[in-house]
Amino acid sequence: MDAPHLPEQSAEKRVRIVGSELVENYTVYVIEVNAGDHRWTVKHRYSDFHELHEKLTVEKKIDKHLLPPKKIIGKNSKSLVEKRQKELEVYLQTLLSRFPASAPKVLSNFLLFNFYEINGIAAALAEELFHKGVQWLDAGEVFLLRPLQLYAVTQQLKLAKPTCANGDARADLGHILDFTCRLKYLKISGMKAAVGTSNIEEQSLPFDLSIFKSLLQIEISDCDAGQIKDLPFLKPTLASLSIHLSASSMKEILVPEASEFAQWEPEGVDTDCSVTAIIPTWKMLTTLDLSRNFIRCIDDSVKLIPEVEFLDLSYNQLSLVENLQHLYNLVHLDLSFNKLRVLEGVHTKLGNIKTLNLSGNQLETLSGLSKLYSLVNLDLSSNRLAQLDEIKYISTLPCLEKLSVSDNPMCIIPDYRTKVLAQFCDRASEVCLNGTTTTEKELDTVEVLKAIQKAKEAKDRMANNEKKVSDVPGQSSSSSLVPPPSSSSPSLSRSTCSSQEITIYKEKALITKDILTPVDSTFTQRCYDVYSSPCDVIPQVDTQISSSFSSEVTFESSLCCCEEEWKPWTASLSNLFLPPFLLSYTTTNQEFTNQLSVQINLSNKEESTQKPCKTLSLEETEQGSPQSGDGYFEMTLDDTNEIMGCFSSSTIQEKTTDVVQKDSVIGDVKLVVWSLCISVGEGLSQWPCCLVATDCSLVVFHTRSEEPVSNLEELTKALEIDLVVPYTNIKTFQFDIP
């Protein structure tokens, strides 16, 4: 309903009693009041009328006999109620005719003029500010006004009458104007439903903001943008503007006068085209919050807010990021819960952005974010990101510290946190993922994954080189050495890693992709959920042999995944747990890792010796190969001790060829893992085994000492190097703890 725009004197005030209600043992009369197009209802009993009349007779000298007299007997009878209803209606009409310009305060409050009629609303607000206005200004708090109150003040200023029509100085309109001129923080909150018992809809009431001269911050909600008048008058002082559930476009807020001109440009912009208006910019505005509106695009009105640093456009209907290149100072942008699908080339529009919220959109790729080099905080939660590879586009951003990817399809991937962090390489410890700081355990896993990635790249390069060599005539192709599973050999079918004890020659390299894999705590679940067959291939070791040909040796063994077959292996073992005293000797124990480094380097500096490695002649190869000339080698299993989870360097005694070992430095210790090794031979035995990852090699220490050690010196003496493998010689390495 459109609001009246005529002076209030022309808005006729009418009152009538439309009915009555019996409440408990007394009658309540329903009064309908009209002021122009506004209508509302009030309910009063006879005693309220009597109290009103007593005050009016004292203050305004009203005739005492104007109010119908009391009735003691039969006061609730139908005939009496109907008669009194008419008499009370005449009484109220007489009072309104007695005070046509401005009703006394007692009568105004009785008919709720202070809630629904502009004179009463303005008078009530003025009196409130008279008593508390200075106190509120000194406190610097946000002052709340309703659109109906601002409408009443706006209408009052249009009337040609004194600012204090009812003669009460406390209700003078000047108190409102003095307060609004000095107010700095304002909130205007409307409502979509009708106000109280009236037919007044606040969204249809226009109000003027030009009375505010010092506002620094204003928030408007649930008001139609068309009813907000003179908002540009706030440009000289306003620093923060928030408007919610009120606008369908940015233009109707930032440049409402644009509808009056065919072509406009912001002030200070040189243009060759003809314009009909030059619009002043919002020079002081640094924060603009237009969240929870109905905005479909970021239009060119952003040219008028060049100083904005914080822009909130969340919960709108945006599908594109555009025109933001005009905001040179923008550092915080919230585009959450819109309809964004792609973000191509956003770095050309968001050059200095530091905080970007893109949660709740429909993003499937992050390729458009790869050049936001100033970005510090990024929220990507509740999107459609399914592939972990998408993180690579933001993993190189040098300033990124906080990242959220929760509630995306990728989050169902096991250990997705460490896989996301690993893509940040050396900056993994600096990234806070999903609001949780990276733990030391995650960093250890990230270090392994980083090494795996580097080794994968190195392996790809090596594979390309080998392919080039194999294309040269006269060169032998890589050969595979595979020990076939044998049902008669329990040591083969029941070992969790390779049953071979081999000697690997030291050679500088990097860790390859699957050196270490997560260990499942539930063996039965791993048996049925992971492997497609009862036994799967676990370790594969590539060894470059310095000979007249290049060969690739692959060791494969089977993993028994049946709990029934596993039990005979563990039944005779007294303990399947590591001694507790070893738990303190980990990667974080610097003294221990230094001792390991010394032992490894001393061993590496010893004179190179030839190691036995079983090979076959060319004739034997041709007999064992499905195709002649493939370089196929076959190795049988040794019946001596087999170690679960590691290789030995001292038990293979077969035909050998001379292999020259490279004299390279092992490097610093990067990771220490303790495990339990089980030897299978004439009987079962077990001992602690220390797996050490250095810069370029995998080293296995073992100790067969059954006596517990009490200090680091005793432990160091008890440790003996059992295996040294350069990473380039390892294709995969995996061991499981049942």
Side-chain angles (χ1 to χ4, degrees), residues 499 501 638-643 651 679-683 685 704:
S499 61
E501 294 184 348
D638 188 11
D639 293 332
T640 58
N641 291 355
E642 298 174 6
I643 302 176
T651 59
S679 176
V680 183
E682 297 178 356
S685 60
R704 296 178 182 269

Side-chain angles (χ1 to χ4, degrees), residues 168 194 383 425 462 487 496 618 652 657 670 672 682 706 724:
D168 189 350
N383 274 279
C425 298
M462 292 173 60
S487 59
T496 59
L618 182 60
I652 299 180
T657 59
K670 298 299 183 183
V672 175
E682 297 178 356
E706 298 181 357
V724 180

Side-chain angles (χ1 to χ4, degrees), residues 2-66:
D2 294 335
H5 299 288
L6 296 176
E8 187 64 19
Q9 289 93 330
S10 302
E12 181 184 359
K13 298 182 182 66
R14 303 183 304 275
V15 60
R16 64 191 186 99
I17 299 179
V18 295
S20 61
E21 299 174 357
L22 184 63
V23 178
E24 296 180 355
N25 62 342
Y26 58 87
T27 302
V28 173
Y29 298 95
V30 181
I31 307 168
E32 182 181 271
V33 185
N34 289 268
D37 292 333
H38 293 172
R39 181 181 65 256
W40 63 94
T41 58
V42 188
K43 294 182 180 180
H44 287 294
R45 55 188 298 184
Y46 179 82
S47 60
D48 297 333
F49 282 89
H50 185 269
E51 183 179 353
L52 168 67
H53 186 64
E54 290 290 331
K55 293 179 180 179
L56 289 175
T57 55
V58 174
E59 296 177 6
K60 302 297 180 180
K61 308 302 181 182
I62 299 298
D63 184 5
K64 293 182 179 181
H65 303 289
L66 186 61

Side-chain angles (χ1 to χ4, degrees), residues 63-112:
D63 184 5
K64 293 182 179 181
H65 303 289
L66 186 61
L67 182 69
K70 291 183 178 181
K71 294 290 184 179
I72 300 177
I73 301 175
K75 61 180 180 179
N76 293 328
S77 63
K78 183 177 180 181
S79 59
L80 177 63
V81 168
E82 291 178 352
K83 179 182 178 182
R84 176 171 288 178
Q85 178 176 320
K86 295 179 180 179
E87 294 174 343
L88 292 176
E89 180 176 315
V90 172
Y91 171 76
L92 292 176
Q93 291 174 349
T94 303
L95 292 178
L96 289 179
S97 62
R98 175 78 179 270
F99 307 102
S102 179
K105 181 179 178 181
V106 61
L107 178 59
S108 176
N109 293 341
F110 183 84
L111 296 176
L112 298 184

Side-chain angles (χ1 to χ4, degrees), residues 63 127 141 277 281 301 337 396 402 410 553 556 579 663 708 737:
D63 184 5
E127 185 173 349
E141 298 177 353
T281 61
S301 63
F337 296 94
T396 57
K402 294 183 180 180
M410 68 167 62
V553 184
E556 299 183 1
D663 188 11
I737 299 177

Side-chain angles (χ1 to χ4, degrees), residues 422-477:
Q423 299 191 49
F424 287 88
C425 298
D426 295 336
R427 296 193 60 252
S429 60
E430 303 173 13
V431 177
C432 177
L433 182 60
N434 295 344
T436 304
T437 305
T438 307
T439 63
E440 290 296 328
K441 182 178 179 181
E442 288 177 332
L443 288 178
D444 289 341
T445 307
V446 166
E447 288 297 324
V448 175
L449 294 177
K450 284 161 52 179
I452 286 174
Q453 183 60 31
K454 292 179 180 178
K456 181 181 179 182
E457 296 171 358
K459 183 178 178 182
D460 292 340
R461 291 194 298 268
M462 292 173 60
N464 293 334
N465 293 337
E466 290 176 1
K467 182 177 180 181
K468 293 178 181 178
V469 172
S470 64
D471 292 339
V472 179
Q475 295 292 332
S476 172
S477 61

Side-chain angles (χ1 to χ4, degrees), residues 160-227:
K161 69 174 187 177
T163 57
C164 184
N166 63 0
D168 189 350
R170 295 172 298 179
D172 196 312
L173 196 63
H175 299 310
I176 299 177
L177 299 179
D178 178 67
F179 179 82
T180 56
C181 284
R182 294 189 289 166
L183 184 65
K184 294 183 178 181
Y185 309 99
L186 173 65
K187 181 177 181 179
I188 303 172
S189 181
M191 63 173 60
K192 295 182 179 180
V195 180
T197 61
S198 71
N199 67 339
I200 302 173
E201 297 179 357
E202 286 190 312
Q203 287 187 324
S204 66
L205 302 177
F207 54 85
D208 189 356
L209 296 177
S210 62
I211 60 176
F212 298 95
K213 307 299 183 182
S214 304
L215 277 185
L216 299 178
Q217 173 183 318
I218 184 172
E219 178 181 347
I220 304 174
S221 61
D222 287 297
C223 297
D224 188 270
Q227 72 185 100

